[in-house]
Amino acid sequence: GQVSGSLGAAAAPAAPLARLFRAAAPPVLVAVPGEKKKRKRAEEGEKVSEDQSSSVIQELPVKAKKARKKERSEAEKKLSERENTLEQADEEEDQKLFLNKVKQKKKASQATTKSVVNPATGATAKRQKRKRVADETADRRTVFVGNLPVTCTVQVLKSLFKKYGQIQSIRFRSLIPAEDTVSKKVAAIKRKVHPNAKSVNAYVVFKEECDAQKALKENGTEIASGFHIRVDTASKTSSHDNKQSVFLGNLSYDICDDAVREHFHVCGDIVGVRVVRDNRTGLGKGFGYVLFENTDSVHLALKLNNSVLMGRRIRVQRVADKRKAQKNPDQSHAPKDRVDKTKKKEKSCSNDAFVGEKATPLKKSTKPKRLKTIPRSKAGKNK
């Protein structure tokens, strides 16, 4: 105020400047009418309605878009289903074609395998035929020598058969080892034979067939005391004549071939004697065969039926033909005596053999039957 007063008289009073440094006047409160709030609320409501209307306006195209999308999706689904069905049909056709191709390939492969197998089977058949032919030719060149003593060696057989031709090989068979653990080959090499075994068989193989036929002359020759050898071809074609042979039964188990030969040498010349033996023990099975040179010897041998040989009554019979027995098996098993007896029984049981007596029928009585009467006393009680 002093500064303002010192500036001059024409200056403005100091009051306005002093007001600047005075305390501020209290604020004046002015009452506001309530209509403004209502207006604000209305304005706010209008804004909300505008917003809602705008949202509705915005939602409408969104829903339309979704509906359109749904429609499109359904159409797309239908299209996709159609496409899938078409693809499945194409795949099925492709699979059918593939299966047909596979079947054709299999058929072709089977045909090729058959074509391959057939020559293979043909080759195997040819090989088998060749083996059979080779075996047959080998059997024709082979000679069976039976009833050899256990002490017989390869050198003895070579010295016996070398005069007929060149020998290819010699092998012993029907050897019975002394122990079960030892094989027959080892027993033949080491000569460990069962004590019950008295005879051995052998096979002599020649290089030529004619030499084997010549070696058959040694049949019946005596190598050692009590051992007459039996020489025959090993081929299956050499079949003995049943009309010239005899079957022997009830033989002793310890019997030798020479004992049978001595028993039947009275009947005629003997070609061979065969006693059937067990492969393990070498003992006889109780039966055998004798082959004669003539059929007349067979008739004489049949007379020795029930004769005693080594304490046993032997049975001598003709050798039955297997072919005839197969044709009529019923008649072959039944002897003639039984057939005659059955025929006699059939004749005795004929209708004319027995005549029965007729029975006399009983006479029936012609008297009428009386009815049973009930007494009065009983009848009253029953009532």
Side-chain angles (χ1 to χ4, degrees), residues 153-164 167 170:
T153 59
V154 176
Q155 294 177 356
V156 174
L157 288 176
K158 278 186 178 180
S159 63
L160 182 63
F161 289 101
K162 68 181 181 180
K163 58 186 175 183
Y164 298 106
I167 296 170
I170 295 172

Side-chain angles (χ1 to χ4, degrees), residues 339-354:
V339 175
D340 295 336
K341 286 180 182 179
T342 53
K343 287 181 180 179
K344 287 179 181 179
K345 285 181 181 179
E346 288 176 357
K347 288 180 181 179
S348 62
C349 294
S350 61
N351 294 325
D352 299 333
F354 175 76

Side-chain angles (χ1 to χ4, degrees), residues 9-175:
L17 292 170
R19 289 177 185 174
L20 294 171
F21 298 100
R22 290 179 185 173
V28 179
L29 298 173
V30 178
V32 180
E35 292 180 0
K36 292 181 180 180
K37 292 181 180 179
K38 290 181 180 178
R39 287 178 183 177
K40 287 180 181 179
R41 289 178 182 174
E43 289 176 358
E44 289 176 358
E46 288 177 358
K47 287 180 180 180
V48 170
S49 62
E50 287 177 359
D51 295 331
Q52 288 178 356
S53 62
S54 62
S55 64
V56 169
I57 292 163
Q58 290 176 359
E59 286 176 358
L60 289 171
V62 171
K63 287 181 180 179
K65 287 180 181 179
K66 288 182 179 179
R68 288 176 184 175
K69 285 182 180 178
K70 286 181 180 179
E71 290 177 357
R72 288 178 183 175
S73 62
E74 289 178 357
E76 288 175 355
K77 284 181 181 179
K78 289 180 181 180
L79 290 170
S80 63
E81 287 177 357
R82 288 178 184 177
E83 288 177 355
N84 291 327
T85 52
L86 291 170
E87 287 178 358
Q88 288 178 359
D90 294 333
E91 288 178 356
E92 288 177 357
E93 289 179 357
D94 293 334
Q95 286 179 357
K96 287 180 181 179
L97 293 170
F98 180 73
L99 291 171
N100 291 326
K101 287 180 181 179
V102 171
K103 286 180 181 179
Q104 289 176 0
K105 286 181 181 179
K106 282 183 179 179
K107 287 180 181 179
S109 63
Q110 286 177 359
T112 53
T113 51
K114 284 180 181 178
S115 63
V116 171
V117 169
N118 288 328
T121 52
T124 53
K126 287 180 181 179
R127 288 176 185 175
Q128 289 177 357
K129 286 181 181 179
R130 288 175 184 174
K131 285 181 180 179
R132 288 176 186 174
V133 171
D135 293 336
E136 288 178 358
T137 54
D139 291 339
R140 289 174 185 173
R141 293 185 290 106
T142 305
V143 172
F144 172 80
V145 184
N147 197 27
L148 290 169
V150 178
T151 57
C152 184
T153 59
V154 176
Q155 294 177 356
V156 174
L157 288 176
K158 278 186 178 180
S159 63
L160 182 63
F161 289 101
K162 68 181 181 180
K163 58 186 175 183
Y164 298 106
Q166 191 174 2
I167 296 170
Q168 188 175 357
S169 64
I170 295 172
R171 57 183 187 272
F172 288 94
R173 291 291 182 269
S174 303
L175 283 168

